[in-house]
């Protein structure tokens, strides 16, 4: 029996997932908060496009999958809205920028097998009906709440969920420690997202010598908090990783830049807000990240 993939929302990444499912002829549905015209066209990097044929939401069994690629601040209401579709064994994958969503998910869905994912694919919603795949990337996936069964059952489920995500947003790299992978991504977002949004620049502008001290200081605070939280690292390796992503995405506007400049709510609470909260818990001073957090919050209120 083919399994069904339900995707919450028709955001840029959600629509890429739906296009992957469509191309692989996997049954899927896109769950919308309210009735409205959804994304129907996804343009791929090679110029071809996929027309989405969305289906009605269906009740999800243990063989199916719910993927939640929504913003941090939308997560709780999305789960409240759609949990009636789930059975206690339906696996759920949270695919998000930033961190903190994991706690929300485990408190709302204490019984389900839960996975976290992060992707470096780039996608842009160019209109209410069209999404463009703007950058090739990879998707990292790992388990956070295991099934209540044997390790063999867990391994089988991990393989199935990996194959389902791989059909939608390949390549999938399985992570034994997905939290560590998310912290590494967070370290990058902590630099690029607020700086580009505040200064209204592309990611590539951060190559300028003018930004290097600030980048070093953000990474230094992040390295201290990561180490205190059990993910040991150092400033130099974070700076090197940040520089690599700046070079790889030089022409892009970061997601936070796009959110702020289109007057949308940003993901600052799951990025700098998360770091500031972890710093407080571990007794570490993070004045640079706190300043960026406050500046983005002030810009969001304008
Ligand atoms: O993840 C990103 C984002 O914009 O949110 C980066 C890696 C910074 C690329 O723009």
């Amino acid at each position: 029996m083919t399994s069904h993939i339900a995707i919450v929302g028709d955001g840029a990444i959600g629509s890429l997932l739906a296009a992957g499912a469509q191309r692989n002829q996997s049954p899927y549905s896109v769950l919308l908060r309210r009735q409205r015209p959804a994304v129907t066209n996804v343009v791929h990097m090679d110029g071809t496009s996929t027309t989405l044929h969305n289906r009605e939401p269906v009740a999800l069994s243990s063989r199916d999958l719910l993927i939640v690629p929504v913003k941090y601040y939308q997560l709780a209401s999305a789960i409240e809205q759609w949990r009636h579709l789930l059975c206690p064994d339906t696996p759920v994958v949270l695919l998000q920028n930033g961190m903190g969503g994991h706690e929300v998910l485990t408190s709302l869905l204490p019984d389900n097998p839960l996975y976290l994912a992060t992707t470096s694919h780039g996608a842009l919603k160019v209109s209410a009906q069209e999404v463009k795949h703007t950058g090739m990337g990879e998707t990292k996936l790992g388990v956070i709440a295991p099934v209540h069964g044997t390790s063999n059952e867990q391994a089988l489920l991990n393989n199935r969920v990996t194959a389902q995500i791989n059909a939608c947003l390949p390549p999938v790299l399985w992570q034994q420690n997905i939290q560590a992978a998310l912290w590494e991504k967070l370290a990058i977002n902590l630099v690029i997202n607020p700086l580009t949004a505040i200064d209204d620049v592309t990611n590539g502008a951060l190559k300028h010598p003018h930004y290097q001290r600030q980048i070093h200081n953000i990474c230094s605070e992040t390295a201290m908090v990561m180490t205190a939280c059990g993910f040991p690292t150092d400033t130099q390796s974070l700076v090197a990783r940040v520089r690599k992503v700046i070079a790889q995405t030089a022409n892009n506007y970061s997601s936070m830049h796009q959110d702020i400049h289109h007057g949308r709510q940003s993901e600052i609470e799951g990025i700098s807000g998360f770091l500031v909260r972890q710093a407080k818990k571990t007794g570490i001073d993070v004045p640079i990240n706190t300043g960026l957090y406050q500046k983005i919050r002030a810009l969001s209120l304008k």
Side-chain angles (χ1 to χ4, degrees):
M1 202 178 71
T2 356
S3 54
H4 187 98
I5 299 174
I7 301 157
V8 179
D10 68 340
I13 295 294
S15 301
L16 269 195
L17 287 159
Q22 171 86 31
R23 278 187 153 185
N24 276 287
Q25 300 176 342
S26 305
Y28 69 95
S29 47
V30 176
L31 310 176
L32 296 176
R33 202 167 27 197
R34 55 191 155 73
Q35 283 290 330
R36 58 167 171 83
V39 169
T40 50
N41 194 39
V42 175
V43 182
H44 300 281
M45 303 244 345
D46 61 5
T48 60
S49 38
T50 299
T51 305
L52 301 182
H53 299 292
N54 190 15
R55 302 188 183 189
E56 286 298 306
V58 297
L60 301 169
S61 75
S62 60
R63 295 202 55 77
D64 301 324
L65 181 67
L66 178 73
I67 311 178
V68 194
V70 300
K71 308 244 184 199
Y72 174 79
Y73 57 85
Q74 297 167 326
L75 178 60
S77 62
I79 297 297
E80 296 290 0
Q81 182 171 8
W82 300 111
R83 70 168 152 197
H84 68 277
L85 296 178
L86 303 175
C87 73
D89 296 330
T90 311
V92 177
V93 177
L94 173 64
L95 178 67
Q96 234 173 20
N97 241 359
M99 290 181 77
H102 154 196
E103 286 80 5
V104 177
L105 205 61
T106 38
S107 70
L108 291 174
L109 299 173
D111 295 325
N112 292 76
L114 302 177
Y115 294 81
L116 289 180
T118 175
T119 189
S120 55
H121 281 280
L124 193 63
K125 201 164 183 175
V126 287
S127 73
Q129 253 119 74
E130 188 166 287
V131 162
K132 248 189 179 147
H133 189 183
T134 53
M136 283 306 290
E138 59 194 22
T139 306
K140 292 183 176 171
L141 174 73
V143 70
I144 46 164
V147 288
H148 310 287
T150 64
S151 55
N152 198 29
E153 283 166 335
Q154 181 68 56
L156 286 174
L157 185 64
N158 293 350
N159 287 343
R160 187 155 53 76
V161 172
T162 303
Q164 285 167 315
I165 299 286
N166 199 48
C168 297
L169 202 56
V172 171
L173 308 179
W174 178 259
Q175 305 294 300
Q176 283 309 335
N177 188 346
I178 186 64
Q179 296 277 22
L182 288 174
W183 267 107
E184 280 169 18
K185 174 88 187 336
L186 182 79
I188 293 162
N189 291 129
L190 280 164
V191 173
I192 301 180
N193 294 29
L195 291 182
T196 54
I198 292 164
D199 286 357
D200 188 9
V201 292
T202 60
N203 296 356
L206 304 184
K207 286 182 198 166
H208 195 277
H210 159 76
Y211 287 104
Q212 301 321 304
R213 174 129 299 274
Q214 220 175 348
I215 292 176
H216 177 276
N217 291 344
I218 298 169
C219 289
S220 156
E221 291 182 0
T222 305
M224 282 192 284
V225 178
M226 280 180 72
T227 303
C229 290
F231 301 92
T233 188
D234 59 77
T235 310
Q236 283 323 317
S237 40
L238 294 186
V239 169
R241 241 181 255 137
V242 166
R243 289 210 177 119
K244 191 169 164 203
V245 176
I246 289 173
Q248 283 167 339
T249 62
N251 298 326
N252 293 8
Y253 283 102
S254 75
S255 56
M256 194 170 287
H257 177 283
Q258 293 176 47
D259 286 337
I260 295 287
H261 291 271
H262 290 102
R264 298 189 296 249
Q265 193 169 342
S266 82
E267 295 187 274
I268 194 67
E269 290 302 334
I271 299 178
S272 310
F274 177 81
L275 187 90
V276 170
R277 290 192 296 277
Q278 299 308 309
K280 214 171 248 168
K281 277 189 202 162
T282 48
I284 294 169
D285 238 13
V286 289
I288 311 288
N289 281 287
T290 305
L292 294 172
Y293 171 63
Q294 287 165 345
K295 274 193 186 156
I296 293 291
R297 282 181 52 116
L299 278 179
S300 313
L301 297 174
K302 275 189 181 164

